[in-house]
Structures are given as C-alpha cells and as structure tokens.
Amino acid sequence: YPVQVIGRDEALRLEPDLLLPDSIDSAVFFPTEGHCDPALLMAHLLGVLRAHDGEVRFPVTVTALSSTSRGARVILADGQVLDADHVVSCVGRWTETLMSTVGAHVPMQPHTGPGSAPMGFLATTSPLPVRLQRLVTAADLNVRPHGGGRLLLQAPDLDAAADVSDPPRADG
C-alpha cells in the first residue's frame, strides 16, 4: 500500500507530541494505514448484536462449523449443537483449523512455540496527556493509540521470549 518518505518537520506536524531524536531527519508515512480500538469495536459490535437479539456464549470451545440452509451450525466441545443466522469467529491463532471444518482456507502465521511470529508482548500505559493519532513503528518500539489516553506498546526485541505456556507475571 502507499508509502511516502517525509521530512522531520512533516512527521512532527502529523504527530505533534512525537519525540524524535535529533539524529532523525526523515520518517516513513503510510497514509492509508489504520487501526481500530478493539475495546470500542467490541462495544459497538456487542451493541449491534443485542439490538438484533443476538447471543454471546462465553466461555465455550467450538470444535466445528457447518453450513445449513438457513445459516450456520456450531458444534461445541460438550456436544451441544447451535444453529445460527451468522457466526463471528474470534479464535485467534486457531482460526485456520476451525475454518477448515467448513472447507475455508484462512492462512495464518503458524504458532511453532515460544518466540514464533504470532506470539509477542504488548503493554498498555496508564492514561497519558498525548495526542497520538497514528501507528508509530520504529526499529525498537511500536506505539499506537489505545483509547482513554492510553498507548499500546510493543518492543519487537522482547517478543522472542514470549511463551503462551509461561506468561510473565503482571509485575514482571
């Protein structure tokens, strides 16, 4: 997608609260790149669901999906079968496996263990007086707005230590 190399002044015009080291004289700008606030998106989607008499089942394990003449069938691990007009799949790294039960191929980056590409650490800051509106990607830190004045941070060099079977302590 489109990319533009912009000067330091333009980068600071786009993101006035960005602190750039003096050694940085240009930046790369992706004008069509975007992001969403997952909490706000989920609140919106749950509101739409309630307005249409939808139902959320949580926590459940879905083992298979199938098509019906009226919509979809969801098979749960406990043997329960649910018929639905629509299904929203939110299974993350298990998407490829679940969607294969209906013959759909959704390519996903494979999880091969600690440090694999789908694994990583994200940190959320306390609310800050910052006006960040865009994704900021740097060699050692990625930052994006996270709602409520918070920022979502990722330091890619730490991701190699990420292990879903051994999550870090909250105070780690």
Side-chain angles (χ1 to χ4, degrees):
Y1 48 94
V3 60
Q4 301 170 359
V5 176
I6 60 174
R8 176 188 182 85
D9 291 343
E10 178 66 3
L12 293 172
R13 187 189 68 72
L14 290 169
E15 288 296 343
D17 290 353
L18 194 60
L19 299 176
L20 288 177
D22 292 338
S23 61
I24 302 295
D25 60 3
S26 64
V28 178
F29 176 53
F30 300 91
T32 62
E33 189 168 48
H35 64 90
C36 74
D37 181 329
L40 291 177
L41 176 61
M42 287 305 300
H44 171 77
L45 293 174
L46 288 171
V48 170
L49 183 71
R50 281 191 304 275
H52 290 89
D53 298 321
E55 180 180 352
V56 174
R57 298 274 182 113
F58 178 83
V60 297
T61 300
V62 177
T63 58
L65 301 172
S66 63
S67 296
T68 68
S69 61
R70 296 196 64 234
R73 179 159 290 145
V74 179
I75 297 93
L76 303 181
D78 66 4
Q80 195 174 15
V81 176
L82 307 171
D83 287 325
D85 296 327
H86 304 280
V87 175
V88 177
S89 172
C90 303
V91 297
R93 64 184 168 111
W94 296 276
T95 297
E96 191 170 7
T97 300
L98 180 60
M99 297 312 291
S100 71
T101 66
V102 289
H105 177 65
V106 180
M108 300 288 288
Q109 180 72 35
H111 175 263
T112 56
S116 64
M119 300 300 302
F121 293 115
L122 297 175
T124 305
T125 68
S126 299
L128 300 167
V130 175
R131 299 169 290 168
L132 188 68
Q133 298 296 313
R134 293 170 180 81
L135 304 171
V136 176
T137 304
D140 55 354
L141 185 67
N142 300 322
V143 184
R144 71 168 214 185
H146 194 56
R150 292 173 175 82
L151 300 175
L152 189 66
L153 311 174
Q154 178 203 21
D157 62 322
L158 299 177
D159 288 349
D163 183 354
V164 70
S165 65
D166 185 24
R169 296 185 342 252
D171 63 349

